[in-house]
Amino acid sequence: MWPEKDFDFIKLKNDDEGTHYGLFEGEELISVVSIFIQGVQAQFRKLATLSSHQNKGYGSKLLNYVLSEAERLSVKRIYCNARIEKVTFYEKSGLSKTDATFSKSGKDYIVMERFY
């Protein structure tokens, strides 16, 4: 998602509090996502797929796995900060737009959520 940035750019202060998932094709890591659970709510962050492997269903597969894990762990609400141009992608997995929007690092976002 940020190939032009240094690796430190994508690090978050609380990365060690999350559970991090990766999807591999053979030995190659092609898609990643992190989930941060706080009580009955969870946020997933940093869903990204290598550009050479996009539009093949890998991101959807990984996202749907994380959504299932959240439900299994008794999460009642899961949300993300979705880039505006990816709203349709997240809607396909049952997330809905909220009224919360913001801009960061030159990109526009909307908070999307799903209730269980």
Short mmCIF file of all heavy atoms in Angstrom, two decimals, residues 1 3 25 28-31 48-58:
data_model
loop_
_atom_site.label_atom_id
_atom_site.label_comp_id
_atom_site.label_asym_id
_atom_site.label_seq_id
_atom_site.Cartn_x
_atom_site.Cartn_y
_atom_site.Cartn_z
N MET A 1 0.82 -1.19 0.00
CA MET A 1 0.00 0.00 0.00
C MET A 1 0.86 1.25 0.00
O MET A 1 0.45 2.27 -0.52
CB MET A 1 -0.92 -0.02 1.22
CG MET A 1 -1.96 1.07 1.18
SD MET A 1 -3.32 0.80 2.29
CE MET A 1 -2.69 1.45 3.79
N PRO A 3 4.41 1.43 -1.09
CA PRO A 3 5.71 0.93 -1.58
C PRO A 3 6.78 2.00 -1.67
O PRO A 3 7.99 1.69 -1.64
CB PRO A 3 5.38 0.35 -2.96
CG PRO A 3 4.12 1.03 -3.36
CD PRO A 3 3.37 1.33 -2.09
N GLU A 25 1.73 -17.59 -1.04
CA GLU A 25 1.65 -18.41 -2.24
C GLU A 25 3.01 -19.08 -2.32
O GLU A 25 4.01 -18.44 -2.66
CB GLU A 25 1.38 -17.56 -3.48
CG GLU A 25 1.17 -18.39 -4.73
CD GLU A 25 0.80 -17.52 -5.91
OE1 GLU A 25 1.71 -16.84 -6.44
OE2 GLU A 25 -0.38 -17.52 -6.30
N GLU A 28 6.18 -17.19 -0.85
CA GLU A 28 6.05 -15.74 -0.97
C GLU A 28 4.86 -15.19 -0.18
O GLU A 28 3.72 -15.63 -0.37
CB GLU A 28 5.90 -15.36 -2.45
CG GLU A 28 5.87 -13.88 -2.70
CD GLU A 28 5.74 -13.52 -4.17
OE1 GLU A 28 5.24 -14.35 -4.97
OE2 GLU A 28 6.15 -12.41 -4.51
N LEU A 29 5.13 -14.22 0.69
CA LEU A 29 4.08 -13.53 1.42
C LEU A 29 3.44 -12.54 0.46
O LEU A 29 4.09 -11.64 -0.05
CB LEU A 29 4.68 -12.79 2.63
CG LEU A 29 3.71 -11.97 3.47
CD1 LEU A 29 2.63 -12.85 4.08
CD2 LEU A 29 4.48 -11.22 4.55
N ILE A 30 2.13 -12.71 0.20
CA ILE A 30 1.50 -11.88 -0.82
C ILE A 30 0.42 -10.95 -0.28
O ILE A 30 0.05 -9.98 -0.93
CB ILE A 30 0.92 -12.74 -1.97
CG1 ILE A 30 -0.08 -13.74 -1.45
CG2 ILE A 30 2.04 -13.41 -2.74
CD1 ILE A 30 -0.82 -14.48 -2.55
N SER A 31 -0.10 -11.24 0.93
CA SER A 31 -1.15 -10.40 1.48
C SER A 31 -1.05 -10.43 3.00
O SER A 31 -0.73 -11.47 3.58
CB SER A 31 -2.52 -10.90 1.02
OG SER A 31 -3.55 -9.98 1.32
N ALA A 48 -3.21 -5.36 2.99
CA ALA A 48 -2.48 -5.03 1.77
C ALA A 48 -2.09 -6.30 1.03
O ALA A 48 -1.81 -7.32 1.65
CB ALA A 48 -1.23 -4.22 2.10
N THR A 49 -2.10 -6.21 -0.28
CA THR A 49 -1.69 -7.31 -1.16
C THR A 49 -0.68 -6.77 -2.15
O THR A 49 -0.82 -5.64 -2.64
CB THR A 49 -2.91 -7.89 -1.90
OG1 THR A 49 -3.87 -8.35 -0.94
CG2 THR A 49 -2.53 -9.04 -2.81
N LEU A 50 0.34 -7.56 -2.41
CA LEU A 50 1.33 -7.15 -3.42
C LEU A 50 0.61 -6.75 -4.70
O LEU A 50 -0.33 -7.42 -5.13
CB LEU A 50 2.30 -8.28 -3.72
CG LEU A 50 3.28 -8.68 -2.63
CD1 LEU A 50 4.08 -9.92 -3.06
CD2 LEU A 50 4.22 -7.53 -2.32
N SER A 51 1.05 -5.67 -5.31
CA SER A 51 0.37 -5.19 -6.52
C SER A 51 0.35 -6.24 -7.61
O SER A 51 -0.60 -6.34 -8.37
CB SER A 51 1.01 -3.89 -7.01
OG SER A 51 2.39 -4.08 -7.26
N SER A 52 1.38 -7.08 -7.67
CA SER A 52 1.43 -8.12 -8.70
C SER A 52 0.42 -9.24 -8.46
O SER A 52 0.18 -10.07 -9.33
CB SER A 52 2.84 -8.73 -8.76
OG SER A 52 3.19 -9.29 -7.50
N HIS A 53 -0.19 -9.27 -7.28
CA HIS A 53 -1.15 -10.32 -6.94
C HIS A 53 -2.56 -9.76 -6.65
O HIS A 53 -3.43 -10.49 -6.19
CB HIS A 53 -0.65 -11.10 -5.73
CG HIS A 53 0.50 -11.99 -6.04
ND1 HIS A 53 1.78 -11.51 -6.20
CD2 HIS A 53 0.57 -13.31 -6.24
CE1 HIS A 53 2.59 -12.52 -6.47
NE2 HIS A 53 1.87 -13.62 -6.50
N GLN A 54 -2.78 -8.50 -6.93
CA GLN A 54 -4.09 -7.91 -6.68
C GLN A 54 -5.10 -8.37 -7.73
O GLN A 54 -4.74 -8.82 -8.81
CB GLN A 54 -3.99 -6.39 -6.65
CG GLN A 54 -3.24 -5.91 -5.43
CD GLN A 54 -3.11 -4.41 -5.35
OE1 GLN A 54 -3.59 -3.67 -6.20
NE2 GLN A 54 -2.42 -3.94 -4.30
N ASN A 55 -6.37 -8.26 -7.36
CA ASN A 55 -7.50 -8.65 -8.23
C ASN A 55 -7.54 -10.14 -8.53
O ASN A 55 -8.06 -10.56 -9.54
CB ASN A 55 -7.50 -7.82 -9.52
CG ASN A 55 -7.62 -6.35 -9.24
OD1 ASN A 55 -8.48 -5.92 -8.48
ND2 ASN A 55 -6.73 -5.56 -9.83
N LYS A 56 -6.98 -10.94 -7.60
CA LYS A 56 -7.02 -12.39 -7.73
C LYS A 56 -7.77 -13.04 -6.57
O LYS A 56 -7.81 -14.25 -6.45
CB LYS A 56 -5.60 -12.95 -7.80
CG LYS A 56 -4.81 -12.49 -9.01
CD LYS A 56 -3.41 -13.06 -9.02
CE LYS A 56 -2.63 -12.55 -10.22
NZ LYS A 56 -1.24 -13.07 -10.23
N GLY A 57 -8.32 -12.20 -5.68
CA GLY A 57 -9.12 -12.72 -4.57
C GLY A 57 -8.35 -12.96 -3.28
O GLY A 57 -8.93 -13.37 -2.28
N TYR A 58 -7.04 -12.71 -3.28
CA TYR A 58 -6.24 -12.97 -2.08
C TYR A 58 -6.63 -12.07 -0.91
O TYR A 58 -6.78 -12.53 0.21
CB TYR A 58 -4.75 -12.82 -2.37
CG TYR A 58 -4.22 -13.82 -3.36
CD1 TYR A 58 -3.65 -13.42 -4.55
CD2 TYR A 58 -4.28 -15.19 -3.09
CE1 TYR A 58 -3.15 -14.34 -5.46
CE2 TYR A 58 -3.78 -16.12 -3.99
CZ TYR A 58 -3.22 -15.69 -5.18
OH TYR A 58 -2.72 -16.60 -6.07
#
